[in-house]
Amino acid sequence: MKFNLATRLFAAVLSTAVVVAVAMGVGAHVNLNRDFLGYLNEQAVIRLDLAVPSVTTGYRQQGSWDFLRERPDLWYRLLRPAPEDLKVPITERPQASPTPAELTGASRRFTLLDADRQRIVGFDRPADNAVERAVTIDGLTVGWLVLTPFESVSSGAEKRFADAQARTGWLVGGGAVLLAAAVAFWASRRLLRPVRRVAEATHSLAAGDYTMRVPERAADDEIGRLAHDFNQLALALQRNESTRREFMADVSHELRTPLGVLHGELEALEDGVRPLDADALRSLKAEVTTLHRLVDDLYELSLADVGALSYRKAALDLREIIDDTAGAFGERLRSSGLALQLELPPGPLPAFGDARRLRQLFANLLENSCRYTDAGGALRLQARREGRQMLIDLHDSAPGVRSDQLPRLFERFFRVEPSRSRKSGGAGLGLSICQRIVQAHEGRIEARPSPMGGLWLRVELPALG
C-alpha cells in the first residue's frame, strides 16, 4: 500500500512523539524508583543513627532488654531521639514529633538484637544487607540496632507518592502524544496542501498545459516561494512555447518566400517566359543570399547554445574594427536613405577579443538599425573608453520601441515588428547573436530609448591595459 506525503508525515511525527513519550515515562519511572528508594534509605540511616543513643539510654536505665520483652509497646517510643534529660525513664518520655523517616515507615524496619544476635523486638525478617549499629555500654556491646533497607516502594505514603509521580508522568506523556498528533494532523493538512496543489499542477504542466497556475500564499516562506517559482516556471514555459510557435511560423515564412521566388524564377526560365540574363541571375542570387543568411544565423545560435562557437582572441584596436565595419555599410546606408554620424576618438581603443566576431557584432547592430529605421533618418555610432570599460553606443531615429518591449529585444525570434514583410525583417535572430558575442567577451549589452527618437543600443566591453 502506498501512502501519500501527508500520511507519512503524520505517521512520522506521531510515532516519534509516542517513542519519546514512552521513553520519558519509562526513564522517569525507573529513575524515580531508584532515586526515591535511595532517598528513603538515606533518611532511614539518619533515623537509625539518631535512635542509637536513645536505645542505649533505655538499656542503661533498665539494666537489660527484658523490659522490651515484657512491654513491646515501648519499642517505638524507645526509637525516638533521646531527651535532653537522660534520667527520664522510658515509660515517662513525652511523645516527640515524628521524623521524616518515621513518616516513610523506616521505624517499622528496625530490629533490635541482643549481644548474641538474637531478635528481641522489631522487624522480624532482617535482611542480609541490613545496616547495623552496635549498642555499647562502657565499651561492652550489649546489642545491635539493625535497619533493613527498602527494596521497593510497596506501601504507605511513599507508595502513594511514587504512584502520583508515575500518573503525572504518564498523563504528561499522553498529553504530549495528543498534542503531537494534533500538530502532525495540522501540518499534514495545511502545510502540505499547497505542495499537493503544486504536484498536481506539475502533472498538468508536464502534459503540456502551460496555462496551469497555482494560488500563491501571502506568507513569504518556502511553500509560498515554491508556488511563486512554479508560476514563474509555467509562465516561462508558456512564453517559450509561444516563441517556438512564432519562430516556426517566422522561419517557415522566411524560408518559403525566397524558395517561392526561386521556384517561380526557375519555372519562368524553364518555360522561356523570362530570358536567362544578368538580371535573372542577380535575382536568383539575392534569394539564395537571403536563405544563406538565415541558415547561418540559425547555425550560429545553435553553436552558441552548446558553447561551441569558436573564438580566437587577441589584442586589437576596437576603433579600427568599428571604422572598417561602418565603412563597409556605406552602400547599405545610402540605399536605406540613412545618414551615419560616426564619433570615434583620435587614438586607438585597445581591447582583447576576436576581431571576426566583433565585426559580426557591429555589422548585426548596424543591419538592425538599417532594417528598422525609417528612410530619411539618421544613425549615430559612438565609441569611447571610461575607466576599464569600452562603451559603444548606437543611436537611431524613429520609430522607437515601447518600454515594455525593450527587455525582450535580445530574445531569439522576438521582433518588434509583427508583420512578416520582407521589407522590415529577418527572423529576429540578429540581436540574440549580438548578445552571445558580447557575453563571450565578458561584456554586456542593453537597450534603451534613444534621444533621437529610436533605439539606443549600448555595448560595454572590457578594455585592455
Side-chain angles (χ1 to χ4, degrees), residues 45 90 96 134 203 236 240 242 257 266 270 275 284 330 352 393 408-409 418:
V45 171
I90 183 66
H203 288 298
N240 289 342
S242 176
T257 301
L266 291 174
E270 185 180 21
L284 293 173
F352 185 77
D393 296 310
R408 300 193 60 194
L409 284 180

Side-chain angles (χ1 to χ4, degrees), residues 212-461:
M212 177 59 65
R213 301 291 186 272
V214 295
E216 296 185 18
R217 297 177 55 182
D220 185 19
D221 53 16
E222 288 80 359
I223 296 179
R225 288 194 294 271
L226 176 63
H228 176 75
D229 291 343
F230 174 85
N231 289 337
Q232 293 298 314
L233 173 63
L235 179 62
L237 290 175
Q238 185 180 20
R239 181 179 296 171
N240 289 342
E241 176 63 15
S242 176
T243 302
R244 184 190 67 81
R245 292 179 180 177
E246 292 175 0
F247 161 70
M248 295 302 296
D250 289 341
V251 170
S252 63
H253 175 79
E254 293 294 330
L255 291 174
R256 181 180 296 140
T257 301
L259 286 175
V261 173
L262 283 173
H263 186 267
E265 292 280 356
L266 291 174
E267 281 189 343
L269 293 173
E270 185 180 21
D271 295 339
V273 175
R274 181 173 182 178
L276 183 58
D277 52 16
D279 291 338
L281 291 176
R282 277 195 299 271
S283 177
L284 293 173
K285 184 179 179 180
E287 301 304 327
V288 172
T289 300
T290 301
L291 284 172
H292 185 65
R293 185 184 302 115
L294 178 59
V295 173
D296 279 349
D297 286 348
L298 292 173
Y299 180 67
E300 293 277 348
L301 278 176
S302 66
L303 290 179
D305 286 340
V306 298
L309 201 60
S310 61
Y311 289 88
R312 296 181 180 179
K313 295 182 180 180
L316 50 82
D317 183 3
L318 203 59
R319 181 189 185 286
E320 181 181 348
I321 293 176
I322 296 175
D323 193 25
D324 291 346
T325 306
F329 263 75
E331 181 60 33
R332 177 77 169 89
L333 291 167
R334 283 190 293 272
S335 63
S336 300
L338 301 175
L340 175 62
Q341 304 170 15
L342 191 60
E343 299 179 6
L344 301 177
L349 295 174
F352 185 77
D354 187 325
R356 183 172 65 91
R357 294 296 179 191
L358 290 175
R359 284 190 172 89
Q360 181 183 7
L361 164 67
F362 299 127
N364 282 354
L365 294 178
L366 288 170
E367 177 62 30
N368 182 79
S369 294
C370 290
R371 182 174 295 166
Y372 291 102
T373 304
D374 292 341
L379 277 64
R380 181 187 302 148
L381 181 57
Q382 302 169 316
R384 66 187 183 280
R385 175 171 181 166
E386 287 189 3
R388 302 188 61 84
Q389 296 290 326
M390 296 292 187
L391 301 183
I392 300 95
D393 296 310
L394 177 61
H395 296 267
D396 57 38
S397 55
V401 179
R402 297 202 313 267
S403 57
D404 61 313
Q405 293 180 328
L406 289 174
R408 300 193 60 194
L409 284 180
F410 301 101
E411 294 180 10
R412 65 179 59 189
F413 318 126
F414 176 77
R415 295 190 303 180
V416 175
E417 174 58 52
S419 70
R420 299 187 177 129
S421 66
R422 300 291 311 288
K423 178 181 178 181
S424 62
L429 303 176
L431 291 182
S432 296
I433 296 175
C434 290
Q435 187 181 52
R436 302 299 192 281
I437 295 174
V438 172
Q439 290 172 348
H441 284 80
E442 301 178 0
R444 68 189 188 102
I445 182 172
E446 60 179 345
R448 306 173 182 176
S450 173
M452 295 176 61
L455 181 65
W456 175 6
L457 293 171
R458 163 164 284 190
V459 177
E460 296 182 12
L461 297 173

Side-chain angles (χ1 to χ4, degrees), residues 86-129:
L86 298 179
K87 294 181 180 180
V88 177
I90 183 66
T91 55
E92 297 179 8
R93 287 185 184 180
Q95 293 288 339
S97 301
T99 64
E102 290 179 297
L103 294 176
T104 60
S107 299
R108 292 194 299 270
R109 305 183 71 82
F110 286 178
T111 305
L112 180 63
L113 305 179
D114 61 16
D116 298 327
R117 290 187 174 275
Q118 299 299 315
R119 176 181 174 275
I120 298 173
V121 70
F123 190 62
D124 59 354
R125 295 186 303 278
D128 295 335
N129 62 340

Side-chain angles (χ1 to χ4, degrees), residues 40-50 131 133 147:
L40 293 178
N41 286 323
E42 288 177 2
Q43 293 296 317
V45 171
I46 294 174
R47 182 66 184 87
L48 177 68
D49 292 333
L50 292 175
V131 180
R133 296 289 186 270
L147 166 64

Side-chain angles (χ1 to χ4, degrees), residues 182-205:
V183 172
F185 181 79
W186 175 83
S188 61
R189 293 291 180 180
R190 181 172 179 80
L191 296 182
L192 294 181
R193 186 180 296 118
V195 178
R196 260 197 319 273
R197 286 199 293 262
V198 172
E200 294 169 356
T202 303
H203 288 298
S204 300
L205 192 65

Side-chain angles (χ1 to χ4, degrees), residues 109-176:
R109 305 183 71 82
F110 286 178
T111 305
L112 180 63
L113 305 179
D114 61 16
D116 298 327
R117 290 187 174 275
Q118 299 299 315
R119 176 181 174 275
I120 298 173
V121 70
F123 190 62
D124 59 354
R125 295 186 303 278
D128 295 335
N129 62 340
V131 180
E132 298 180 348
R133 296 289 186 270
V135 181
T136 59
I137 301 294
D138 299 329
L140 178 66
T141 299
V142 296
W144 300 87
L145 191 58
V146 178
L147 166 64
T148 299
F150 289 98
E151 298 293 338
S152 63
V153 180
S154 57
S155 62
E158 67 274 12
K159 176 65 175 176
R160 290 192 297 273
F161 174 76
D163 291 343
Q165 292 298 314
R167 284 194 302 271
T168 301
W170 288 115
L171 285 175
V172 171

